[in-house]
Amino acid sequence: MRVYLAGPEVFLPDALEIAAAKKRICAAHGLEGVFPFDTPPQAPPAERPYWMRIYLGNEAHIRSCGGLIANLTPFRGPSADAGTVFELGFMRALGRPVMGYSNAAAAFLDRSRDFLGAEARPREDGGWEDAEAMGLEDFGLADNLMIDGGIAAAGGAFERTEAAAGRRWHDLQAFERCCARLAALVGKAG
Amino acid sequence: MRVYLAGPEVFLPDALEIAAAKKRICAAHGLEGVFPFDTPPQAPPAERPYWMRIYLGNEAHIRSCGGLIANLTPFRGPSADAGTVFELGFMRALGRPVMGYSNAAAAFLDRSRDFLGAEARPREDGGWEDAEAMGLEDFGLADNLMIDGGIAAAGGAFERTEAAAGRRWHDLQAFERCCARLAALVGKAG
């Protein structure tokens, strides 16, 4: 089965090396990894702007895949990369299995409090809010409940690990656990 | 047409007042606004955890709507709220019209650079990267290209305005422009 490999690794200088490593792990679990940089199944119209061709290529990739594994490691803030989250929601709506992983083990509430620092303040009901009085989610989840919920609704798993310093974008242990779980889920369904 | 009102206003103490104001604006454009706190069309199973019932309720809301308007104002980082972005991707995959707005007018690159501060550094090719050598998107867009692209692919618009200080979560001018554009889009299709 083709599996879309969503994640912010596309922004790294060694994105292609990470893609190759992920594809090898996929293959070991009987899956075919599809990276955003791969040639899309349908070529986007040449007259569209460059960024829109990337968008349309990614959308075509996702539609061509039977499942998705998202790298949901926090990216420039307490939550996952926005592009990855968009793709996760997209695949969930297609009704196909999605898995997620994060190389930061802390719960979303703790990461949100860390991010806000002194701006996080306790509410009278025991919860937390930011300087604009906006509440902090406190469900013991890995990220915003729409992310954890979408994965759970699709029968997937959200694997968390604490990567060693400097290995945040290269540790593939939690990714491999996602591959194993996805292969088991698909095998059970097939 | 029912329109799902996605956005991080759900975290505000006056979320219900904002919901009511948005619904009034929708009605003035012939649309029926649906807020996440509304009773979902299907009640989620009572035995699921509270956060999963919220997820399933929101998913049912989205499936019951003919379009979606997302508040993509940056939320705890340079990008939009993760839950809102998930919902945007979800609705795009359903093939229905989506609109987005932001009450911060600056381009995504500028916001990313502001967020990173001294950690943002120029690349030799004229681009920018962060302290982990991850590139900064530089397409002149409002957010990650999957967000701008999904809206464009659905025939929608991404409306940006710079809200006055303290009005970031309450200024509904860009939201109203989305309502007008969605009503026109649906009217043209109908």
Side-chain angles (χ1 to χ4, degrees):
Chain A
M1 185 180 77
R2 285 165 61 82
V3 179
Y4 186 75
L5 304 174
E9 296 95 329
V10 293
F11 301 122
L12 281 167
D14 58 346
L16 288 176
E17 285 81 355
I18 297 172
K22 284 190 158 184
K23 288 179 181 189
R24 281 193 298 273
I25 294 171
C26 283
H29 291 273
L31 304 169
E32 181 190 350
V34 174
F35 199 69
F37 292 175
D38 294 349
T39 304
Q42 292 95 35
E47 72 274 12
R48 302 300 294 268
Y50 177 57
W51 63 269
M52 192 64 191
R53 295 203 304 276
I54 299 175
Y55 174 82
L56 292 169
N58 288 351
E59 197 180 278
H61 274 314
I62 298 170
R63 291 186 196 276
S64 78
C65 287
L68 177 148
I69 300 176
N71 181 352
L72 299 168
T73 304
F75 184 74
R76 296 176 193 159
S79 278
D81 166 57
T84 305
V85 173
F86 179 96
E87 295 175 334
L88 182 72
F90 192 101
M91 189 59 115
R92 166 59 193 148
L94 296 186
R96 302 171 198 167
V98 296
M99 300 273 161
Y101 72 95
S102 172
N103 283 345
F108 185 41
L109 174 67
D110 298 328
R111 292 204 314 278
S112 297
R113 286 184 54 189
D114 276 354
F115 174 78
L116 293 168
E119 287 187 3
R121 58 196 189 198
R123 281 181 169 170
E124 282 185 11
D125 65 1
W128 290 83
E129 64 181 24
D130 65 18
E132 294 177 301
M134 298 182 95
L136 274 58
E137 275 194 22
D138 182 13
F139 297 115
L141 301 176
D143 206 320
N144 183 294
L145 71 85
M146 295 307 294
I147 295 177
D148 292 65
I151 292 170
F158 197 147
E159 296 283 341
R160 278 191 263 177
T161 194
E162 189 65 34
R167 298 288 302 157
R168 185 179 178 83
W169 301 111
H170 295 84
D171 185 321
L172 295 178
Q173 294 179 71
F175 171 76
E176 176 144 30
R177 292 205 299 272
C178 287
C179 289
R181 295 192 72 143
L182 182 57
L185 182 69
V186 173
K188 208 161 56 180
Chain B
M1 187 180 76
R2 285 165 60 84
V3 179
Y4 186 75
L5 305 175
E9 297 95 330
V10 291
F11 301 122
L12 282 167
D14 59 345
L16 289 176
E17 286 80 356
I18 297 173
K22 284 190 158 184
K23 289 180 181 189
R24 282 193 297 272
I25 295 171
C26 282
H29 291 273
L31 304 169
E32 181 191 350
V34 174
F35 198 70
F37 292 174
D38 294 349
T39 303
Q42 291 95 35
E47 71 275 13
R48 302 301 293 268
Y50 177 58
W51 63 269
M52 191 65 190
R53 296 203 304 274
I54 299 175
Y55 174 82
L56 292 170
N58 288 350
E59 196 179 278
H61 274 314
I62 297 170
R63 292 187 196 277
S64 78
C65 286
L68 177 148
I69 300 176
N71 180 352
L72 299 168
T73 304
F75 182 76
R76 297 176 193 160
S79 279
D81 165 57
T84 305
V85 173
F86 179 97
E87 295 174 336
L88 183 72
F90 192 102
M91 189 60 115
R92 165 59 194 148
L94 296 186
R96 303 173 197 167
V98 295
M99 301 274 160
Y101 72 94
S102 172
N103 282 345
F108 185 41
L109 174 67
D110 298 327
R111 292 203 315 276
S112 298
R113 285 184 56 190
D114 276 353
F115 174 78
L116 293 167
E119 287 187 3
R121 57 196 189 198
R123 281 180 169 170
E124 282 186 10
D125 66 2
W128 291 83
E129 63 181 23
D130 64 18
E132 294 177 301
M134 298 182 95
L136 274 57
E137 274 195 23
D138 182 14
F139 298 113
L141 301 177
D143 206 321
N144 183 292
L145 72 83
M146 295 306 294
I147 295 178
D148 292 64
I151 293 170
F158 197 147
E159 296 284 341
R160 277 191 264 177
T161 193
E162 189 65 33
R167 297 288 303 158
R168 185 179 178 82
W169 301 111
H170 295 85
D171 186 321
L172 295 178
Q173 294 179 71
F175 171 76
E176 176 143 30
R177 293 206 297 274
C178 287
C179 289
R181 295 191 73 142
L182 182 57
L185 182 69
V186 173
K188 208 160 56 181

